[in-house]
Amino acid sequence: MKRFTTVALTALAPISWGSTYAVATELLPPDRPLFTGVMRALPAGLLLTALARRLPTGAWWWKAAVLGTLNIGAFFPLLFLSAYRLPGGVAAVLGSAGPLFVVGLAALVLGERARLRTVLAAVAGAFGVSMVVLTAAARLDLVGIVAGVVSSASMAAGTVMTKRWGRPEGVGPLALTGWQLTAGGLVIIPVAALVEGAPPALDGKAFLGYGYMMLINTGIAYWLWFRGIGRLTATSVTLLGPLSPLTAAVIGWAALGQSLSPVQVLGMAIAFGATVAGQLFAAGTPTQPFSSAEENDRNISMDLTDGPVRR
């Protein structure tokens, strides 16, 4: 029951991210994705850091910067570049490949065994998402494809390294999330200024949209995501990723008047089934507590050097 609760709470993060498209198109200024990235990350990061009342110390200044860049600062701009250069369906499929990156990186960095059934669940999830979002008119663009693949790899690396480094002694997921969002937002600022110029004028709808993005879609969602990484395996967490495009499709149908074909409904069923199966497959996998970074380093080092890797 405890694991089910953790999985359910962690799943709220990708479900929340699935609302990004609807909020952006209905409430936010058009064609300002990088400014939106800054508004999502930086205020939320500063707020969470203030609530936690903890700043990084020692090596955690650069570790927080690295994690913030991987999970936010590089991920957001690359994701937006992919979305602009490719149809939304192609970009979503590239994003759904993230679990495959995590499976490979977790095996190399964390010693998590890459089981065939887990890989098949990740592939089935990506296939189901492709049935939901791809259209016959989808065009391909090399720059967009590279950006989409690298964005998925960036967040996959951030997920694995968040698990690898753990947290400093006495620091909770609230502070760790705040550090990463702040660092990521600061990384995006110069890119946004260079590409998009001065911030746009904001009306009441924009303030409402950015408020939702900052508090729910980013602050709470990423806190739940990093909390889940601390309590589950990295692979188990990332297999929840397909819930994001599935939620986007449901919101598009329910709130934006978009239609769903029988093929799309079947794809949703396959992707959701793969997500559930991935969690069932991971249920028996031991999970190392998300304690201090030093303890995680020591335990993983022992796993990799003292004979066969422990399971």
Side-chain angles (χ1 to χ4, degrees), residues 245-307:
L246 294 186
T247 302
V250 171
I251 292 175
W253 168 75
L256 303 181
Q258 299 172 357
S259 61
L260 287 174
S261 69
V263 172
Q264 288 176 303
V265 173
L266 176 60
M268 293 174 68
I270 292 174
F272 183 75
T275 300
V276 173
Q279 299 310 311
L280 294 176
F281 296 156
T285 303
T287 305
Q288 179 177 310
F290 202 21
S291 54
S292 70
E294 291 76 12
E295 183 179 352
N296 286 350
D297 287 345
R298 181 170 61 253
N299 291 342
I300 293 172
S301 176
M302 291 173 62
D303 282 344
L304 298 178
T305 58
D306 294 349

Side-chain angles (χ1 to χ4, degrees), residues 113-237:
R113 186 177 180 182
R115 292 181 169 87
L116 176 60
R117 60 187 183 182
T118 302
V119 175
L120 292 177
V123 172
F127 177 72
V129 169
S130 71
M131 293 176 64
V132 176
V133 299
L134 282 183
T135 65
R139 56 180 174 79
L140 301 181
D141 174 89
L142 181 59
V143 173
I145 291 173
V146 171
V149 171
V150 176
S151 70
S152 293
S154 178
M155 189 165 185
T159 298
V160 171
M161 293 311 298
T162 299
K163 184 71 175 180
R164 173 70 171 86
W165 283 337
R167 294 193 304 263
E169 191 70 40
V171 171
L174 191 70
L176 183 64
T177 305
W179 300 348
Q180 294 191 50
L181 289 174
T182 301
L186 292 174
V187 169
I188 301 173
I189 284 178
V191 181
L194 180 64
V195 175
E196 297 179 353
L202 304 180
D203 58 15
K205 288 199 309 180
F207 277 110
L208 178 63
Y210 283 129
Y212 168 81
M213 287 278 201
M214 180 190 74
L215 293 174
I216 307 299
N217 185 268
T218 302
I220 294 176
Y222 272 95
W223 170 67
L224 290 172
W225 186 255
F226 293 132
R227 176 182 177 273
I229 292 174
R231 302 186 180 196
L232 304 167
T233 65
T235 301
S236 178
V237 172

Side-chain angles (χ1 to χ4, degrees), residues 76-135:
F76 278 4
L78 288 169
L79 179 67
F80 291 138
L81 176 59
S82 174
Y84 268 94
R85 303 281 303 216
L86 296 169
V90 178
V93 171
L94 293 175
S96 68
L100 294 173
F101 285 114
V102 172
V103 169
L105 288 172
L108 291 173
V109 178
L110 303 176
E112 291 185 10
R113 186 177 180 182
R115 292 181 169 87
L116 176 60
R117 60 187 183 182
T118 302
V119 175
L120 292 177
V123 172
F127 177 72
V129 169
S130 71
M131 293 176 64
V132 176
V133 299
L134 282 183
T135 65

